[in-house]
Amino acid sequence: MTDTSIPSDVRADIGVIGGSGLYEFLDEAVAVDVSTPYGPPSDPLVIGEIAGRRVAFLPRHGADHRWLPHRIPYRANLWALRAVGVRQVLAPAAVGSLTHELPIGALVVPDQVLDRTSGRDRTYFDGPPAGVVHVGFADPYCPAGRAAALKASAASGWPAADGATLVVIDGPRFSSRAESQWYAAAGARIIGMTGMPEAALARELALCYTPMALVTDLDAGIETGEGVTMAEVFAVFKENVGRLRTVLMDVVAALPTERTCACGSALDGLNLGIELP
């Protein structure tokens, strides 16, 4: 379905939801305001071109980092991306590590998620006029997107770890040592604050969603001393943002031009009750 209110010259087929500084890699970028039934997204979309692909970038926390993880308008963000034509989403994010096997500076492409958030608007199907819709989420991330991310990162000389369970917490505080140890005992290897409900909402819109996680700290459960600090996280992200941007450009170029994965058929046969953009 095409949203005819969006001009053809500002449409895109790939979306990148990430931190400030990443959108600088877009050629001839333009800012686009998109309205949604769920309010405005975190910021206007910035749309441009990479390697011949039309890309829409959205700063998850806003360009001025005003949105805390539990306040991010996740539903508006994913809806706005789909409205401009996006069908494949890359989602870079900073995470903590719950194992010494994934040190600071590691790049990870998760394959599973453990949702420990609460109180967030986590579905488009929460009552009339929406229908009763249950989407499959056994494998939360796009296999084609993950394959492209792993291949591109390896070719760049910064190979990503293949697979990890990401536990998503509400924040904005960091975890206690007991919590970190509990998450690790449950099988999680990395921890973040923004991966859910983002991934689930992408599935509800039949989008391909691929997370790319940069380890910025060792979470409280696997280190001594005072534990992780916000200054540490920002410093490591700033140190690595250049090469993360380069890898993202390579992943964009490597994403399939035609979707053959199951993500696009996630809503087949379901009575949505609402019209998607």
Side-chain angles (χ1 to χ4, degrees):
M1 193 171 299
T2 300
D3 186 344
T4 56
S5 66
I6 305 297
S8 60
D9 60 342
V10 293
R11 297 187 68 81
D13 65 330
I14 296 170
V16 178
I17 307 176
S20 301
L22 291 175
Y23 65 88
E24 296 169 4
F25 62 117
L26 293 173
D27 294 331
E28 299 181 359
V30 295
V32 181
D33 287 309
V34 182
S35 62
T36 84
Y38 309 97
S42 295
D43 241 16
L45 305 186
V46 180
I47 299 179
E49 191 168 299
I50 300 172
R53 310 291 297 274
R54 297 290 295 173
V55 179
F57 175 80
L58 178 61
R60 183 184 282 116
H61 297 278
D64 55 359
H65 213 90
R66 67 188 179 278
W67 292 104
L68 290 168
H70 64 298
R71 297 295 189 190
I72 292 170
Y74 293 102
R75 291 196 296 183
N77 286 353
L78 275 299
W79 191 276
L81 287 172
R82 182 176 167 107
V84 299
V86 166
R87 294 298 181 266
Q88 299 182 81
V89 175
L90 298 177
V95 299
S97 175
L98 295 168
T99 170
H100 286 291
E101 296 174 358
L102 297 173
I104 291 173
L107 188 62
V108 186
V109 180
D111 62 344
Q112 276 297 324
V113 68
L114 179 62
D115 187 6
R116 295 293 301 167
T117 65
S118 62
R120 303 184 181 191
D121 292 325
R122 60 186 63 252
T123 181
Y124 295 106
F125 306 108
D126 56 356
V132 177
V133 175
H134 304 285
V135 297
F137 202 60
D139 297 300
Y141 307 128
C142 176
R146 291 191 70 257
L150 291 167
K151 182 178 179 179
S153 63
S156 75
W158 189 19
D162 181 0
T165 294
L166 165 67
V167 59
V168 185
I169 62 173
D170 264 329
R173 69 168 178 85
F174 295 115
S175 301
S176 70
R177 297 191 196 284
E179 288 169 332
S180 292
Q181 293 163 3
W182 183 36
Y183 301 142
R189 301 179 72 204
I190 53 177
I191 181 169
M193 299 179 186
T194 60
M196 288 292 287
E198 201 170 81
L201 292 169
R203 181 61 53 84
E204 288 191 345
L205 294 180
L207 303 177
C208 297
Y209 182 91
T210 303
M212 297 183 67
L214 168 63
V215 175
T216 56
D217 59 273
L218 302 177
D219 208 56
I222 61 169
E223 65 175 328
T224 59
E226 296 182 0
V228 60
T229 66
M230 189 169 70
E232 176 186 1
V233 170
F234 283 1
V236 174
F237 189 84
K238 182 177 180 180
E239 180 182 342
N240 288 276
V241 69
R243 63 174 179 165
L244 179 58
R245 188 164 51 225
T246 298
V247 171
L248 280 169
M249 292 174 66
D250 293 340
V251 178
V252 166
L255 287 174
T257 56
E258 298 289 337
R259 295 200 296 167
T260 58
C261 59
C263 306
S265 58
L267 303 176
D268 287 2
L270 299 177
N271 179 20
L272 306 185
I274 57 175
E275 184 175 358
L276 302 185

